[in-house]
Amino acid sequence: MNKDVIIACDFSSKEETLAFLDRFEDCKPFVKIGMELFYAAGPDIVREIKKRGHKIFLDLKLHDIPNTVKNAMRVLSSLDVDMCNVHAGGTIDMMREALEGLKRPDGTRPLLIAVTQLTSTSEERMQKDLLISAGIAETIVHYAKNTREAGLDGVVCSPLEAAMVKEACGKDFMTITPGIRFKDAAKDDQVRIMDPAGAREIGSDFIVVGRPITAAEDPVAAYKRCVKEFLGE
Ligand code: C5P
């Protein structure tokens, strides 16, 4: 799959989401649908956005016993999404079963990526709350290696972690990076950020961009700027 910009459609209703996508008349961006919208609008929102010709990253971060995750993934795969995800903390076995559940009868499947440690988890909280004594960088690399061993396509990580993941897991192992901001724009609540051109330079495969596009005065222009800077075209 080619490198691309994924717009995080963090809206709370179907109407708001579709009104936003209506603005894109001459292009069909790859979009990310998260828990809030999926739980509010249900699988119909996925079908509707697919029907309009967009690729979809369904960001539900599954984490349960392997058999449950496999069966849930079978349902998501039949929705014809292009990318979905799990928590690597669910173990290699769970990730293998997730992959198995995604395989369609025609041999195709959506991309499957894993969350290593959420960027909202600090090293201190990880060590104290989760009783993981290793450092956070070491933990992220270890979880990324588990993800590769399970046969998944890549991990979600901060752009500042992408290089070490690529070094540990190989350049074909995908990194999907949120925390993207234009050089001249506000950080919002993101801390560890990079601009689209920087994300290209460190080898990120997909960047996930929310507010710099969704809250822009002209979202289509912001999206096009992002694509131009990320793909270097
Ligand atoms: O608006 P903004 O560009 O900050 O949105 C980033 C998107 O990426 C949001 O949907 C957020 O939940 C998601 N995300 C993130 N950091 C992670 C994983 C996902 O910002 N580690």
Side-chain angles (χ1 to χ4, degrees), residues 8 10 32 61 118-119 156 178-181 190 208-212:
D10 292 325
K32 176 170 94 73
K61 301 186 180 69
L118 292 167
T119 44
V156 188
I180 303 294
R181 289 295 178 271
Q190 294 282 17
V208 177
V209 189
R211 287 160 292 179

Side-chain angles (χ1 to χ4, degrees), residues 136-157:
I136 193 139
E138 195 186 335
T139 307
I140 288 167
V141 166
H142 181 67
Y143 281 29
K145 285 181 176 167
N146 286 353
T147 303
R148 189 193 51 185
E149 191 179 328
L152 275 64
D153 303 293
V155 292
V156 188
C157 60

